[in-house]
Amino acid sequence: MISLPLFNKQPEELKTVMDQWLYLLKHLSTMDRLPSFLDKRIFGLIFEIGEIGKLTEEELMSYEASLRHKRDAESVFNSAKKSGEALGHAKGLAEGKAKGLAEGERRKALETAKAFKEMGLPTADIAKGTGLSVEEIEKL
């Protein structure tokens, strides 16, 4: 059992983290800033909470309103981000599908043109039937 009123160590006597916690809890109401001998990574949040506890009712209302505003803005941002990601994903899929279909059609036209060329059909007729240019057919 710990009794804070009986905890009387001075800052230079604080050897353990437990000593630092007890010191902070006992003196939090009289501190206007976090002492340098207390690690900000460990004690920073509790000190900030203590600072909020010292606010007047008007300051607290203003603080809570600013928190609501911040959270609303973050929510709007996250919603817009998700919406944008979904739209971008859908657009990317559609473009990829269209490109894949076009490449497939071109590959099929080249295979058909090659087969017709091997059969000895005139290049102009092959170009007309496959939609390829005469130059493309001659390269086969």
Side-chain angles (χ1 to χ4, degrees):
M1 181 166 192
I2 298 172
S3 178
L4 285 180
L6 298 177
F7 183 81
N8 294 320
K9 288 188 179 182
Q10 297 303 311
E12 58 276 358
E13 298 175 294
L14 305 177
K15 302 295 183 206
T16 66
V17 175
M18 177 63 90
D19 288 344
Q20 293 174 346
W21 271 109
L22 294 172
Y23 183 87
L24 178 66
L25 291 172
K26 182 174 182 179
H27 300 285
L28 186 59
S29 63
T30 60
M31 293 179 179
D32 59 347
R33 63 180 175 79
L34 188 63
S36 60
F37 58 87
L38 295 177
D39 189 345
K40 284 187 180 184
R41 295 171 297 169
I42 299 172
F43 302 104
L45 183 59
I46 190 77
F47 189 77
E48 289 174 19
I49 292 169
E51 287 293 305
I52 293 168
K54 292 180 187 178
L55 297 177
T56 65
E57 188 174 334
E58 184 178 309
E59 291 171 331
L60 185 60
M61 288 174 56
S62 176
Y63 173 74
E64 289 173 350
S66 72
L67 278 181
R68 277 192 302 277
H69 178 71
K70 178 184 176 231
R71 290 176 183 145
D72 288 347
E74 287 174 351
S75 178
V76 167
F77 174 78
N78 289 334
S79 294
K81 183 179 174 186
K82 284 180 184 178
S83 175
E85 287 172 350
L87 181 63
H89 182 71
K91 186 177 177 183
L93 283 176
E95 289 176 4
K97 186 176 180 180
K99 185 177 179 183
L101 288 173
E103 288 176 4
E105 289 175 8
R106 177 164 171 72
R107 187 176 304 123
K108 186 175 180 181
L110 288 170
E111 289 172 2
T112 303
K114 186 175 181 181
F116 284 162
K117 188 173 181 180
E118 289 173 356
M119 291 170 55
L121 293 175
T123 305
D125 290 344
I126 297 172
K128 186 176 181 182
T130 61
L132 298 172
S133 69
V134 174
E135 294 81 25
E136 290 176 304
I137 295 169
E138 288 175 353
K139 289 180 184 177
L140 296 174

